[in-house]
């Protein structure tokens, strides 16, 4: 999913678990208006992606294969931030800046009640309870129904990356050492 802006350095946006390119809302448009080429990537098993990955490294491999040539900015949220970190290690000096928002892979614990609740949700009410664990605020019944429909279609892809990232309340990835080895800012 690309939004073409100006001739500025490309910006690659990587969303978090259970999300897709739409989660960035108007960020791609704003970056494009500022003159950047923007590439919004759906993680394997998410959104419109045809990629499937059972491991974080497989997701990194697949995303690396579709990135634009040359230098770029990487911006990642949650699981997308952990993937962006691993991409930055692989791409080396091609990455001008790395921006991480609420990155997965820092610290031992993760909210397994949220992950398990989303993966197991069969009703809008069950999904609402899982989302409430993140203090998501009020969500309309229509939005919950639409989100549940999306979840049902993509559940297997979500489950694969969720299992790679977390198990029994503990993160299965650690990007702490990766961050220390990065040369970009």
């Amino acid at each position: 999913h690309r939004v073409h802006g100006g001739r500025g350095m490309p910006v690659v946006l990587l969303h978090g678990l259970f999300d897709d390119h739409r989660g960035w809302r108007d960020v791609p448009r704003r970056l494009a208006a500022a003159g950047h080429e923007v590439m919004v990537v759906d993680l394997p098993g998410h959104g419109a992606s045809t990629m499937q990955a059972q491991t974080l490294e497989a997701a990194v491999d697949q995303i690396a294969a579709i990135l634009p040539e040359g230098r770029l900015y990487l911006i990642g949220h949650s699981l997308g931030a952990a993937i962006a970190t691993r991409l930055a290690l692989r791409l080396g000096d091609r990455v001008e800046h790395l921006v991480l928002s609420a990155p997965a892979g820092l610290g031992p614990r993760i909210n397994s009640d949220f992950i398990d609740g989303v993966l197991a949700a069969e009703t809008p009410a069950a999904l609402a309870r899982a989302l409430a664990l993140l203090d998501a605020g009020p969500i309309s019944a229509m939005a919950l129904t639409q989100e549940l429909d999306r979840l049902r279609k993509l559940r297997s892809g979500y489950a694969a990356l969720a299992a790679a990232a977390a198990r029994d309340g503990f993160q299965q990835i650690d990007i702490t050492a990766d961050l220390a080895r990065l040369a970009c800012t």
Side-chain angles (χ1 to χ4, degrees):
H1 193 96
R2 282 183 186 258
V3 176
H4 294 283
R7 299 177 189 258
M9 191 174 301
V11 176
V12 177
L13 299 171
L14 300 166
H15 61 77
L17 185 64
F18 304 134
D19 207 351
D20 64 20
H21 64 275
R22 295 172 301 151
W24 290 104
R25 311 268 187 287
D26 68 337
V27 171
R29 184 190 57 76
R30 288 175 178 232
L31 289 168
H36 293 280
E37 177 183 358
V38 180
M39 181 176 190
V40 186
V41 177
D42 277 333
L43 300 182
H46 290 67
S49 177
T50 58
M51 300 180 285
Q52 294 294 319
Q54 300 296 314
T55 67
L56 188 71
E57 290 310 314
V60 171
D61 291 343
Q62 291 175 15
I63 293 169
I66 64 169
L67 292 178
E69 294 294 321
R71 295 182 62 77
L72 48 81
Y73 296 104
L74 288 174
I75 301 175
H77 173 252
S78 186
L79 183 60
I83 292 171
T85 300
R86 297 276 167 89
L87 282 168
L89 273 177
R90 181 174 298 180
L91 299 175
D93 63 1
R94 284 186 53 205
V95 178
E96 179 74 20
H97 294 290
L98 174 65
V99 178
L100 308 178
S101 172
L106 295 179
R109 302 289 301 172
I110 195 161
N111 190 333
S112 62
D113 291 339
F114 166 71
I115 293 171
D116 295 344
V118 170
L119 289 174
E122 291 296 335
T123 65
L127 182 58
R129 287 190 298 275
L131 294 174
L133 294 170
L134 296 184
D135 295 326
I139 302 172
S140 72
M142 183 187 319
L144 284 167
T145 299
Q146 290 172 344
E147 193 61 24
L148 186 60
D149 288 343
R150 185 173 72 96
L151 170 65
R152 285 182 177 131
K153 292 175 189 163
L154 299 170
R155 195 177 314 247
S156 65
Y158 291 161
L161 279 181
R167 194 170 312 117
D168 298 325
F170 290 94
Q171 298 205 54
Q172 300 301 301
I173 54 176
D174 185 350
I175 63 168
T176 307
D178 300 334
L179 290 170
R181 295 183 4 227
L182 287 174
C184 63
T185 58

